Amino acid sequence: MCRPRLPLVAGLDAGRPAVHVWETPGLRQVGSVGADSPAYADDRAGGTPAVAWHPHEPSLMVALPGRVVRWTAAGASDVDGVAPAYSGLAFSPDGRELWASPSGTGSAILDVPSGVVSSGPWWDTGIAPHPAGGLVATVHSEQGATHVLFALVDGRGPMRVLRKALILAADSYAPPIFSRDGRYLAIRGNAYENSLDVFAFPSLELVLKTTLGQPYPGYPPPADWLEKASAWSRHNIAFANQSGVLWVGTRTGPLVELDLANRTWVTHDPLPGCRVTALAATAAGDLVVATAAGELALVATPDRPAADAASRDLVTAFVDSTEEVGDGEHVVTDGDRTWTPEDLATVTTAEDDDPMWLRHRAAINKVIRR
C-alpha cells in the first residue's frame, strides 16, 4: 500500500498485476489499474506493479508489464516515453519528474510536462523522501550487501548522491521509510529472513535490529520454517502520527506498537485472527490494514503525543557531515561501525560474527595481496 498526502490509498491485487484505489476515511473503492490483467503464474516476482503517488495531486503512476499508466479520478491512460518493465517508480518532490528504475546502467527520468526522457543515477528499490524535503533515501541492492544511499533533490538536475551511506547484509530489502518527524529510518528485508532495522537520522546510529519470527536457520531451511517465514508481509511497517512509534503488522493478526525511544511495545488486535498482508499510514496519521482474508480496514491509533514537524535542520546536519560522491566510493556504516573506501580496500581479516559481505571482502583482499 502507498500513503499519499491526499485522502486516497492504493493497494496491490494479490491475484494479478493490478492496483486498486480507495478513498479515505470511508475506504470506498474509486478506481483500478490493470484489473483485466491475467492472473499471476506461480512466480509473480517479475510482474508485481510498481506504483508512485504524485506528491501534491490525486494522480497515481503504475508500472505494469510493458507499460506505465497514469490514474486520476477521471480515468486511466498510458504514459508515453516510459514503456519498459520497471521495478520501481517515484516522483521527484516537486512532482515534475517521474523516476523509473532500473533502466540499463541507471534510471530513467521523465519530465512529465514535456515528455522528455533522460538518464539518472542507479537505484532499484524505492525512494523515500525525507519529510523535511531536499533529501531522499533509496536502496541499491546486491546479493552480498545492500546500500541505502542518500541523495540531494533540490530541483537542480537528477539526484545528487552523497558519500555517506548505510550498508546492510544480504539483498532483497523493501523500500525504506522515514518517520514523520524525520528522526528515524526503518527498512524491512531481506532475502533470508524477516529482518527489521531502524536507524536514527541524521546520525545513522542503529536503534533497533531484530528478526520477525525465527532467524534464518541456514541452508537448506526446513519446510516448516519457510512456511512461517513466507507468512510475514514484506510491507508490514508504518510510522503513524505518534512521536517515535513504529507500527508492525504480524502474521497472526495483532499490530505491534513499538516505542523506539523507550524500547517498549504494546499489542493491539483490531482484526482478530487475520494475518496482516500490508500496513500503511494515512495523511491524517491513522493506519490502513490489509489482511489475508481480503479485508481493508482503517484503524485509529491510540492517543499519544503527535510527532513534531520534520525539521530542515536534520537534513542540513546530514548534508554538512558528508559530500557529493559523483562516481566515487562511499563511506558506509551498519549503524555500529563505519568503513571508509581505504578500510575496505585493505581489510584482510574478519571474525566469524562479522557480516558476510565483510568476510567476503577480506577474503578477496587477502588473495589479491598475496
Side-chain angles (χ1 to χ4, degrees):
M1 286 186 291
C2 308
R3 180 185 62 81
R5 297 179 182 175
L6 300 151
L8 295 171
V9 174
L12 298 177
D13 191 305
R16 65 193 69 249
V19 175
H20 305 293
V21 183
W22 296 269
E23 185 179 56
T24 62
L27 291 179
R28 178 177 66 91
Q29 187 166 341
V30 293
S32 295
V33 177
D36 57 349
S37 301
Y40 287 115
D42 291 339
D43 181 10
R44 59 176 288 183
T48 304
V51 296
W53 280 106
H54 191 283
H56 312 299
E57 301 172 1
S59 175
L60 179 72
M61 292 288 192
V62 180
L64 296 171
R67 63 194 182 113
V68 175
V69 177
R70 178 192 285 112
W71 178 91
T72 68
S77 59
D78 284 10
V79 178
D80 295 331
V82 282
Y86 293 113
S87 60
L89 291 180
F91 273 100
S92 61
D94 61 7
R96 180 182 176 89
E97 295 176 341
L98 178 68
W99 301 334
S101 181
S103 178
T105 58
S107 62
I109 301 174
L110 171 68
D111 184 84
V112 177
S114 69
V116 174
V117 179
S118 57
S119 60
W122 177 273
W123 60 275
D124 59 21
T125 316
I127 288 179
H130 191 277
L135 184 86
V136 297
T138 186
V139 177
H140 187 174
S141 184
E142 300 175 6
Q143 186 171 5
T146 292
H147 289 85
V148 179
L149 305 179
F150 299 89
L152 295 171
V153 285
D154 52 13
R156 295 188 290 132
M159 290 186 290
R160 306 200 316 275
V161 179
L162 299 173
R163 186 175 297 278
K164 185 182 289 187
L166 286 168
I167 189 165
L168 308 173
D171 61 326
S172 296
Y173 288 84
I177 60 170
F178 278 105
S179 62
R180 293 194 168 209
D181 59 8
R183 296 183 180 277
Y184 295 101
L185 180 73
I187 185 167
R188 276 279 284 113
N190 49 53
Y192 299 95
E193 59 187 8
N194 288 295
S195 63
L196 171 60
D197 296 278
V198 183
F199 300 89
F201 186 87
S203 68
L204 302 187
E205 293 178 358
L206 185 64
V207 175
L208 173 70
K209 185 177 185 64
T210 190
T211 300
L212 307 180
Q214 295 299 313
Y216 183 65
Y219 185 83
D224 62 336
W225 182 90
L226 284 172
E227 181 180 0
K228 292 176 181 178
S230 63
W232 285 93
S233 168
R234 298 298 305 277
H235 305 279
N236 67 333
I237 61 172
F239 285 105
N241 197 31
Q242 303 157 293
S243 180
V245 171
L246 178 69
W247 288 85
V248 182
T250 69
R251 67 180 184 89
T252 55
L255 301 179
V256 177
E257 179 189 0
L258 182 59
D259 188 320
L260 296 171
N262 296 316
R263 305 295 180 92
T264 59
W265 55 275
V266 179
T267 60
H268 306 268
D269 203 359
L271 300 169
C274 293
R275 178 169 64 90
V276 174
T277 56
L279 182 66
T282 68
D286 292 324
L287 298 173
V288 180
V289 184
T291 74
E295 297 172 310
L296 190 69
L298 192 66
V299 179
T301 55
D303 290 334
R304 288 174 58 99
D308 295 331
S311 171
R312 179 67 188 177
D313 290 345
L314 298 173
V315 173
T316 300
F318 184 81
V319 174
D320 287 349
S321 71
T322 184
E323 60 187 350
E324 293 182 36
V325 70
D327 294 328
E329 296 183 272
H330 295 278
V331 173
V332 297
T333 180
D334 61 3
D336 181 27
R337 293 178 291 174
T338 298
W339 296 269
T340 67
E342 293 75 19
D343 294 331
L344 297 180
T346 57
V347 61
T348 56
T349 60
E351 304 299 326
D352 290 343
D353 58 351
D354 281 332
M356 185 61 70
W357 66 264
L358 183 59
R359 284 182 276 166
H360 285 171
R361 179 65 67 96
I364 293 171
N365 287 345
K366 188 173 183 179
V367 171
I368 292 174
R369 291 168 66 89
R370 285 178 179 171

